[in-house]
Amino acid sequence: MEYTVGMINRIKRIDGQMQAISRMVEEGRDCREVVLQMAAARNALDKAIVVVVSANLEHCVRQHVERGEGSEETIKEAINMFVKSR
């Protein structure tokens, strides 16, 4: 699977959020601020997972259809990947 520039940028933003959280902890910032930022990073990561799983599902189903194969297993696998990520 090829990852789009948008997907890569999304991951880089999440990395930046995580680095900022690390700095906040090192600085001894208030726990409410830290937890708020952690929740924001987790939400961003959840959205990134959805983007990757949905793009992967679309790509895999398209390949299976082009080869004349069933796509039911591919769909189940993608759903399982998403469920396990929660």
Side-chain angles (χ1 to χ4, degrees), residues 14-27 29 33-42:
I14 294 167
D15 182 44
Q17 285 180 293
M18 296 306 298
Q19 290 176 25
I21 291 167
S22 183
R23 281 191 304 275
M24 291 173 73
V25 170
E26 289 171 355
E27 295 168 358
R29 300 277 291 270
E33 292 177 49
V34 173
V35 170
L36 183 64
Q37 291 305 312
M38 291 172 114
R42 180 177 53 195

Side-chain angles (χ1 to χ4, degrees), residues 16-81:
Q17 285 180 293
M18 296 306 298
Q19 290 176 25
I21 291 167
S22 183
R23 281 191 304 275
M24 291 173 73
V25 170
E26 289 171 355
E27 295 168 358
R29 300 277 291 270
D30 182 71
C31 69
R32 290 172 291 194
E33 292 177 49
V34 173
V35 170
L36 183 64
Q37 291 305 312
M38 291 172 114
R42 180 177 53 195
N43 287 336
L45 190 56
D46 285 344
K47 289 178 183 178
I49 289 169
V50 170
V51 169
V52 170
V53 169
S54 64
N56 186 48
L57 176 62
E58 179 185 354
H59 174 77
C60 289
V61 169
R62 188 177 295 127
Q63 280 185 333
H64 283 229
V65 169
E66 287 171 0
R67 287 187 237 146
E69 301 170 355
S71 57
E72 186 175 330
E73 275 304 309
T74 304
I75 293 170
K76 286 180 184 177
E77 183 180 338
I79 291 170
N80 286 333
M81 283 181 3

